[in-house]
Amino acid sequence: MSRRHIPAFLDPSHRRRLPVRVAALAAATALALTACGREDDAGDDESAAPSADVADGPATGTIEVWAMGTEGEELGAFLADFEAANPDATVEVTPVPWEGAHDRIATAIAAGETPDVSLIGTTWMGEFAQTGGLEPTPTDLFDENDFFPGPWASTVVDGTSYGVPWYVETRALFYRTDLAEAAGLQPPQTWDDLKAFTQGLQQAGAQQGIYLQPGQGGSWQTFMPFAWQNGAQLTDGDAYTLDSPEMTEALEYYASFYTDGLSQDTVLQPGALEQLFADGAIGSFISGPWHIGLVRDAGAADAFAVVPLPGKDEGPGTSFVGGGNLAVFTDSDNKDGAWKLVEYLTEVEVQQSWYETLTDLPSKPAAWEDGPLTEDPLVSVFGEQLESTEAPPAVPTWEQVAAVIDGDVEAAVRGAMSPADAVADMQSQASSIGTGLQ
């Protein structure tokens, strides 16, 4: 996600190299660029045309790769083994800052001057696939059943996959075990349990039973799991369907944590969540695996645990899934080599090695069955949670609509709008924006 969509307490600028970075997602500003159309002859060169199958044998030629953030800084050195196994191939990795990555990719697609393969933020998939700039995923090379279902779904646009999940991230519930034990509480399994659980943590000494992000960029990522758990569907075909009873009920439940005094309705500054949690002032919060190290560094030591999110009526409940996908461009000059590189980076042993290098979580369940991801039981919880996740719809305009949801969630939790009115406003604005699929 772009930095404006990262919740303040999840901003990676204050993280060390701890579990998974939030994938960069940005506003859909490339629509104006793609409206100009790609060059009529882009991709017509026979040397760049996709083959029905990736050829047998090792990769050859130059493979140009764009990767963002720390992944881009580390990937080049990491690929020494791939180049050794493919001596006639050379991988050229260009690190690209997340802040400018979206527009750079959009401009490259519009000009027909792309690299061969790139890291793509999960919510960019719909937009870039719709331009015709991404190659469909070879079904003979990648089996969707080898990947967690939520991450794979993030690659699918209008029924076709246009990439492969590389690394993933999801959210689970962190809580203070000392406060839970003092209140005689077990980890929550349902919405009713979660409400009682946070009330009990507060009665045991926490100033806030839970911290739920009350607004600003990225708050939809904390709220939306409750909507999914309640059966809400965000799109139906090429139309947004946000104004459902399920969405309204979920927002009513979410807002009740603020009206009941269990969570504050102002956004915490970077670093504040970790310290307040370590001090016992906040009893629980929902976040990703990077917070394991952060709260330990803040002094929480072993006085906390992580469990999957509760569901509405039973757990585990659906959580948000993000991360980074690898996609090959239509204008690639070396599609064969590009797909072989993607295949290598998503091998189980390579994903485990990448986790040890950068703590990015693997997208394949098999990578969680043994090896480094089994060493910390708290990290293992996120592997369990990944079995119950959902990605936002892969439509070109999702980033614009996500910003609308952020604003309406904030209005609802602060009492400026009723949940019903907030959901109606989401739908009205989303309908005006459209999915971009028509």
Side-chain angles (χ1 to χ4, degrees), residues 42-327:
D44 290 341
D45 183 356
E46 186 174 342
S47 66
S51 58
D53 300 296
V54 175
D56 293 334
T60 60
T62 300
I63 306 169
E64 297 181 7
V65 181
W66 286 358
M68 293 81 209
T70 309
E71 285 76 15
E73 296 168 3
E74 299 287 342
L75 182 59
F78 182 80
L79 292 174
D81 287 347
F82 175 82
E83 291 185 312
N86 298 269
D88 293 326
T90 301
V91 183
E92 296 181 354
V93 178
T94 300
V96 178
W98 272 119
E99 288 79 2
H102 175 278
D103 289 356
R104 183 167 178 173
I105 294 171
T107 301
I109 290 175
E113 297 178 353
T114 64
D116 297 301
V117 61
S118 181
L119 170 60
I120 304 285
T122 53
T123 64
W124 296 349
M125 295 299 298
E127 177 186 350
F128 292 147
Q130 190 72 6
T131 69
L134 304 182
E135 280 287 294
T137 306
T139 55
D140 59 329
L141 197 64
F142 301 95
D143 184 347
E144 66 175 286
N145 295 317
D146 291 338
F147 297 83
F148 287 110
W152 183 268
S154 74
T155 73
V156 177
V157 182
D158 200 19
T160 299
S161 171
Y162 290 92
V164 179
W166 183 20
Y167 63 84
V168 299
E169 65 100 350
T170 189
R171 314 291 164 81
L173 180 69
F174 289 68
Y175 73 93
R176 291 286 306 217
T177 52
D178 52 349
L179 296 177
E181 290 170 1
L185 298 169
Q186 295 297 316
Q189 296 293 315
T190 68
W191 281 12
D192 288 344
D193 290 347
L194 182 61
K195 182 63 70 70
F197 187 78
T198 56
Q199 290 170 336
L201 295 177
Q202 201 154 300
Q203 293 166 2
Q207 295 173 18
Q208 299 176 59
I210 192 169
Y211 177 75
L212 298 174
Q213 191 187 351
Q216 294 192 0
S219 57
W220 67 270
Q221 296 174 19
T222 306
F223 162 67
M224 201 56 66
F226 293 98
W228 286 323
Q229 291 165 15
N230 202 34
Q233 299 294 317
L234 307 188
T235 58
D236 182 9
D238 59 5
Y240 282 107
T241 55
L242 304 179
D243 58 344
S244 65
E246 293 83 2
M247 181 76 81
T248 300
E249 184 181 20
L251 188 53
E252 289 172 346
Y253 175 73
Y254 193 81
S256 72
F257 285 90
Y258 303 90
T259 56
D260 292 349
L262 296 169
S263 179
Q264 68 180 60
D265 63 3
T266 54
V267 176
L268 290 171
Q269 294 301 308
L273 173 64
E274 297 84 5
Q275 196 58 59
L276 289 169
F277 183 72
D279 293 342
I282 288 177
S284 62
F285 65 93
I286 295 171
S287 188
W290 55 85
H291 256 115
I292 295 172
L294 290 176
V295 297
R296 283 173 175 163
D297 288 350
D302 296 322
F304 72 99
V306 184
V307 293
L309 295 185
K312 183 182 180 183
D313 299 313
E314 62 180 352
T318 303
S319 186
F320 163 83
V321 66
N325 297 330
L326 293 169

Side-chain angles (χ1 to χ4, degrees), residues 372-393:
L373 283 109
T374 63
E375 295 172 1
D376 188 334
L378 297 185
V379 173
S380 298
V381 170
F382 291 92
E384 180 181 352
Q385 182 66 75
L386 280 164
E387 297 287 355
S388 301
T389 60
E390 191 157 339

Side-chain angles (χ1 to χ4, degrees), residues 284-357:
S284 62
F285 65 93
I286 295 171
S287 188
W290 55 85
H291 256 115
I292 295 172
L294 290 176
V295 297
R296 283 173 175 163
D297 288 350
D302 296 322
F304 72 99
V306 184
V307 293
L309 295 185
K312 183 182 180 183
D313 299 313
E314 62 180 352
T318 303
S319 186
F320 163 83
V321 66
N325 297 330
L326 293 169
V328 173
F329 291 100
T330 305
D331 289 315
S332 163
D333 292 325
N334 189 358
K335 294 184 178 69
D336 185 88
W339 283 120
K340 285 174 179 173
L341 177 61
V342 173
E343 182 182 31
Y344 171 80
L345 287 171
T346 54
E347 291 176 359
V348 168
E349 295 80 7
V350 176
Q351 287 209 325
Q352 291 174 331
S353 180
W354 185 238
Y355 170 78
E356 291 185 291
T357 300

Side-chain angles (χ1 to χ4, degrees), residues 2-47:
S2 68
R3 297 181 73 82
R4 72 180 182 86
H5 286 298
I6 298 175
F9 67 93
L10 303 184
D11 191 328
S13 65
H14 73 279
R15 295 191 231 148
R16 297 187 300 116
R17 283 177 52 187
L18 295 160
V20 81
R21 283 122 190 95
V22 182
L25 315 171
T29 55
L31 294 178
L33 288 168
T34 56
C36 299
R38 296 164 64 241
E39 296 180 7
D40 292 341
D41 60 352
D44 290 341
D45 183 356
E46 186 174 342
S47 66

